[in-house]
Amino acid sequence: MKKATGRSITIRDVARAASVSVGTVSRSLNAPDSVRPATLSKVRSAIEALGFRPDSRAQIMRRRHTMTVGFVVDDIGNPLHAATFKAVSAVMRERGFSPYLVNTSGGADNEAAAIDMLQHGRADGVIMTINSEQDPGTLKRLAELRIPSVLLDRAIPLDIDAVLTDHAIGMRQATDYLIGLGHRRIALITGGRDIRPGRERVRGFVEAFQKHGLDVPADLIRAQSLSADYGFREASTLLQREKPTAIIAAGNRILVGVLRVIQQNRVSIPGDVSLIACDQTDLALLYPGPITLIDRDIEEIGRTAAHLLLERLASSEERPAQRISLPTRLILGGSCAPVTA
Amino acid sequence: MKKATGRSITIRDVARAASVSVGTVSRSLNAPDSVRPATLSKVRSAIEALGFRPDSRAQIMRRRHTMTVGFVVDDIGNPLHAATFKAVSAVMRERGFSPYLVNTSGGADNEAAAIDMLQHGRADGVIMTINSEQDPGTLKRLAELRIPSVLLDRAIPLDIDAVLTDHAIGMRQATDYLIGLGHRRIALITGGRDIRPGRERVRGFVEAFQKHGLDVPADLIRAQSLSADYGFREASTLLQREKPTAIIAAGNRILVGVLRVIQQNRVSIPGDVSLIACDQTDLALLYPGPITLIDRDIEEIGRTAAHLLLERLASSEERPAQRISLPTRLILGGSCAPVTA
DNA sequence: ACTATGGTTGGAAACGTTTCGAAAACGAGG
DNA sequence: CCTCGTTTTCGAAACGTTTCCAACCATAGT
């Protein structure tokens, strides 16, 4: 249990102790087969004796890669991001990479900073969910990104790999289902149209009504933010004034807000209003009973992103960006009922 | 939008372009005041023209620090860890550090690997929740850790800073409250005694009974794992066989499992059984109504850990490890009722 | 005995930055 | 015009590895 001594032991110290050259020590570490057993054991015991551990700063500097990949999200409090990261981590670790996560707390500045920090030698690749899809600064930075990257659920006009979810189709299905139950006044609460999931969900929602030749309840569409607060606010005013017969809480944080309103006002689900959520979170699965939801396979999203990145990492040859789109599926819970009126 | 060219631009290229020395370029970057305005602008425009960006690999190698701190957890799917990390991040970022998170998925091996990777030059400091509190290998590695570190909610016989929660007191209070309501057959489900929170919670639970001169319902104590599955299993058998009048689900993942049982078996809360949870998660706040819970200030835990680490980071002088203990408080929800019998 | 041959080893260069001592440039005071 | 003290700049060394090339050493083949 020695104190942290000033200078640390270098490969040179080991070389001297084992009376071999630095090159040999290095090779003993990285290609043990290329050094004679006798020499190897001399080196090994010197390493042991001195307690030498290679300085990864220097290693990273010399070999031009870090064997780490970054995962950038706006809010790790979102269980979806956490699950995705875990899936990514599993694949990456298996292939010898150390994955780590950076939380930007949203904000174009923070996202830019995160990209910057990863940019030059902190990570070999990056998987990210960028919120400032439109921010010119961010876009520029992404364009100039020199390491392989994969975007999650975002589509930007750049040559970058992406793993997407078919939100439009999923939403159309869900809306369709509600319409089939006789609902017409269906409210949709979701994220802003400036970011892909919001845009696509609104599109699917609208398409479902159009397919049936029905008027789109445009006044019931609230698409501005994925936050719990937004969900709370919009659900409050909707339930108070517009009285929809069904609500689609499209975003797992939004669901938290919506459920808060439902709980506070003792709204009965599905008695007073039908409810559809997105993604299997603890809350959606457990609430009073399981909520009907638009689900997707988060694990697969993570794995797909990881593999996409690994491909790029492996072969340095250029190839056009890939966009892989994964489906959703509707899981029926107990939160929807036919309209009685 | 230039293609990734083979060799990248170095400080030497800039020096040549601006016809100054490398030293001057370096100083223009790091201490602009020490270079004449005329020279500075020459250098700046050369940098601009060439699109030079310093290679942080080399910077890290040269200056001996990375300005990053690692945050190690076993499961980032746990909302508590996520919240703690966010709090840590906020403080650290403010002070110029880039925090990042590593998920070990539990397992002594993975934890050891994470520590190893941070160890040498990946991070300047580390905040962690180590599950293998007893694992000799892990312990050894922690003892040899050469960078400042803070342990969260873990106490090991080593000279390491730690931020702890007063689980025992919190649990004693909660148990006390239930006893006051007339409960005697109180079940406790929590993590293993080999890890601090489990150990302390059991202690507090036992103390509460002893204080009242009551027999401890030892058969109702289930302390082995903090997982949702464990919560589910134990709640199932408890409700089926032992019929407690109250359950304390001490651990937010455990709560998920317990609620699953409650939902599936249509157990009425607090009609059939009273329930106390730990920590303000979405689920605990919203379930059917807010659950009575043993709460703690996660933000403060994160901030405290961050500050502890910053202190060590700032002054390199040795000082004995600090252990800071933070309180819990009981928040009354609607999940507890007096026993009627 | 002498030369190929193939596996090992030594030593130095390189990676891109920061830093340090010395040299140069500058401005002011005599 | 010279000297002195301050700023500013130069150039090289250093950080701890990896990697490359040349040198070395056996052994086997002739």
Side-chain angles (χ1 to χ4, degrees):
Chain A
M1 200 161 315
K2 89 177 82 77
K3 283 271 158 274
T5 116
R7 241 183 52 69
S8 51
I9 295 119
T10 83
I11 211 173
R12 287 209 153 70
D13 301 321
V14 176
R16 196 168 322 120
S19 42
V20 296
S21 75
V22 290
T24 303
V25 177
S26 177
R27 285 196 331 276
S28 307
L29 256 18
N30 304 312
D33 299 331
S34 77
V35 20
R36 206 154 37 121
T39 318
L40 188 58
S41 69
K42 253 198 315 183
V43 174
R44 288 239 167 100
S45 49
I47 288 178
E48 186 64 28
L50 296 176
F52 165 81
R53 313 236 309 118
D55 181 329
S56 53
R57 285 177 284 243
Q59 290 182 313
I60 290 171
M61 152 100 224
R62 199 43 242 244
R63 357 204 230 228
R64 312 295 297 158
H65 54 264
T66 62
M67 292 308 275
T68 61
V69 298
F71 187 90
V72 180
V73 293
D74 58 335
D75 174 21
I76 187 53
N78 185 329
L80 249 51
H81 290 328
T84 314
F85 178 57
K86 287 201 281 183
V88 166
S89 291
V91 176
M92 284 299 177
R93 213 185 292 279
E94 197 173 88
R95 301 291 212 88
F97 286 87
S98 300
Y100 59 83
L101 181 146
V102 178
N103 192 281
T104 64
S105 319
D109 288 355
N110 284 338
E111 295 189 332
I115 298 176
D116 268 355
M117 108 143 211
L118 261 14
Q119 174 78 268
H120 240 294
R122 301 281 188 162
D124 294 344
V126 54
I127 296 178
M128 54 194 165
T129 301
I130 287 300
N131 263 337
S132 25
E133 239 183 45
Q134 321 277 359
D135 184 79
T138 307
L139 235 46
K140 176 154 169 291
R141 223 165 301 242
L142 285 174
E144 291 171 352
L145 203 54
R146 338 169 78 120
I147 54 178
S149 52
V150 178
L151 236 39
L152 288 180
D153 221 350
R154 299 290 183 271
I156 59 176
L158 286 174
D159 198 51
I160 295 185
D161 286 345
V163 178
L164 307 172
T165 298
D166 253 336
H167 294 294
I169 298 180
M171 185 55 70
R172 200 163 62 208
Q173 259 177 270
T175 311
D176 215 55
Y177 169 70
L178 286 173
I179 290 175
L181 289 176
H183 291 275
R184 292 301 176 268
R185 296 196 53 72
I186 305 172
L188 170 64
I189 311 179
T190 191
R193 289 183 182 79
D194 54 333
I195 305 182
R196 202 187 115 93
R199 189 166 55 239
E200 294 292 292
R201 281 168 177 156
V202 170
R203 187 159 70 81
F205 184 75
V206 168
E207 283 174 6
F209 279 93
Q210 291 173 337
K211 200 184 70 182
H212 287 271
L214 295 169
D215 283 348
V216 177
D219 58 320
L220 299 181
I221 299 180
R222 307 295 161 90
Q224 279 189 45
S225 155
L226 286 165
S227 72
D229 279 352
Y230 182 71
F232 181 81
R233 261 199 326 274
E234 297 305 323
S236 293
T237 65
L238 278 168
L239 286 172
Q240 229 174 292
R241 295 212 299 264
E242 277 91 349
K243 305 274 183 205
T245 61
I247 296 181
I248 304 179
N252 71 79
R253 308 308 299 160
I254 287 180
L255 178 66
V256 173
V258 172
L259 288 182
R260 210 182 301 148
V261 176
I262 287 174
Q263 181 204 282
Q264 282 181 11
N265 299 26
R266 304 189 187 289
V267 177
S268 152
I269 303 290
D272 299 333
V273 60
S274 289
L275 179 65
I276 287 186
C278 281
D279 300 311
Q280 299 202 28
T281 56
D282 291 338
L283 211 50
L285 289 177
L286 282 176
Y287 181 62
I291 295 175
T292 293
L293 50 85
I294 303 172
D295 187 36
R296 49 181 159 167
D297 189 339
I298 294 294
E299 303 266 311
E300 192 182 357
I301 292 177
R303 279 195 306 265
T304 307
H307 285 128
L308 232 39
L309 190 58
L310 282 168
E311 273 179 42
R312 291 252 177 219
L313 248 20
S315 82
S316 61
E317 80 204 29
E318 299 289 322
R319 68 161 165 59
Q322 289 185 46
R323 288 195 183 169
I324 298 182
S325 208
L326 297 173
T328 62
R329 71 197 173 110
L330 194 65
I331 299 187
L332 301 185
S335 62
C336 294
V339 272
T340 48
Chain B
M1 198 161 317
K2 90 177 78 82
K3 282 270 158 280
T5 117
R7 242 183 50 69
S8 52
I9 295 119
T10 83
I11 211 173
R12 286 209 153 71
D13 301 320
V14 176
R16 199 170 319 121
S19 42
V20 296
S21 76
V22 290
T24 303
V25 178
S26 177
R27 280 189 353 269
S28 307
L29 257 19
N30 304 313
D33 299 331
S34 77
V35 22
R36 208 153 34 125
T39 319
L40 188 57
S41 69
K42 255 198 315 183
V43 173
R44 289 239 167 99
S45 49
I47 289 178
E48 184 65 28
L50 297 175
F52 165 81
R53 312 234 311 117
D55 181 328
S56 51
R57 283 178 284 244
Q59 289 182 314
I60 290 171
M61 152 96 224
R62 201 40 245 243
R63 359 205 228 225
R64 313 293 298 157
H65 54 266
T66 63
M67 292 308 275
T68 62
V69 299
F71 187 91
V72 180
V73 293
D74 59 334
D75 174 21
I76 187 53
N78 186 330
L80 248 51
H81 290 329
T84 313
F85 178 56
K86 288 202 281 183
V88 167
S89 291
V91 175
M92 284 300 178
R93 215 186 292 281
E94 197 173 88
R95 301 293 211 86
F97 286 87
S98 300
Y100 60 82
L101 182 146
V102 178
N103 192 282
T104 63
S105 318
D109 288 355
N110 284 337
E111 296 188 333
I115 297 176
D116 268 355
M117 108 144 211
L118 261 13
Q119 173 79 265
H120 239 294
R122 301 281 186 163
D124 294 345
V126 53
I127 296 178
M128 55 195 167
T129 301
I130 287 301
N131 262 339
S132 23
E133 236 182 48
Q134 320 277 358
D135 184 79
T138 307
L139 235 46
K140 176 155 171 289
R141 222 166 302 243
L142 285 174
E144 289 171 353
L145 202 54
R146 338 168 77 116
I147 55 178
S149 51
V150 178
L151 237 38
L152 288 180
D153 221 350
R154 299 289 182 271
I156 59 176
L158 286 174
D159 198 51
I160 295 186
D161 286 345
V163 178
L164 307 171
T165 297
D166 252 337
H167 294 294
I169 298 179
M171 184 56 68
R172 202 165 59 208
Q173 259 176 269
T175 311
D176 215 55
Y177 168 71
L178 286 173
I179 291 175
L181 289 176
H183 292 275
R184 293 299 176 271
R185 295 195 56 72
I186 305 173
L188 168 64
I189 311 179
T190 191
R193 289 184 181 79
D194 54 334
I195 305 182
R196 203 187 114 94
R199 190 167 53 240
E200 293 293 290
R201 281 168 177 154
V202 170
R203 187 162 67 82
F205 183 76
V206 168
E207 283 174 6
F209 280 93
Q210 291 174 337
K211 199 184 70 181
H212 287 270
L214 295 169
D215 283 348
V216 178
D219 57 320
L220 300 181
I221 299 180
R222 307 293 161 93
Q224 281 190 44
S225 156
L226 286 165
S227 72
D229 278 353
Y230 183 71
F232 180 82
R233 261 199 327 272
E234 297 305 323
S236 293
T237 65
L238 277 168
L239 286 172
Q240 231 175 292
R241 294 212 298 263
E242 277 89 352
K243 306 272 183 207
T245 61
I247 296 181
I248 304 179
N252 72 78
R253 309 307 300 158
I254 287 179
L255 178 67
V256 173
V258 172
L259 288 182
R260 209 183 300 147
V261 176
I262 287 175
Q263 181 204 280
Q264 284 180 10
N265 300 25
R266 305 189 186 289
V267 177
S268 153
I269 303 289
D272 298 334
V273 61
S274 290
L275 180 65
I276 287 187
C278 279
D279 301 309
Q280 298 202 27
T281 56
D282 291 338
L283 211 50
L285 289 176
L286 281 175
Y287 179 64
I291 296 175
T292 293
L293 49 84
I294 303 172
D295 187 36
R296 49 181 160 170
D297 190 338
I298 295 293
E299 305 266 311
E300 193 184 355
I301 292 177
R303 281 195 305 266
T304 306
H307 284 127
L308 231 39
L309 190 57
L310 282 167
E311 273 177 44
R312 291 252 178 221
L313 249 19
S315 81
S316 61
E317 81 204 30
E318 299 289 325
R319 68 160 163 61
Q322 288 185 47
R323 290 195 183 168
I324 298 182
S325 208
L326 298 174
T328 63
R329 71 196 172 112
L330 194 65
I331 299 187
L332 300 186
S335 62
C336 294
V339 272
T340 48

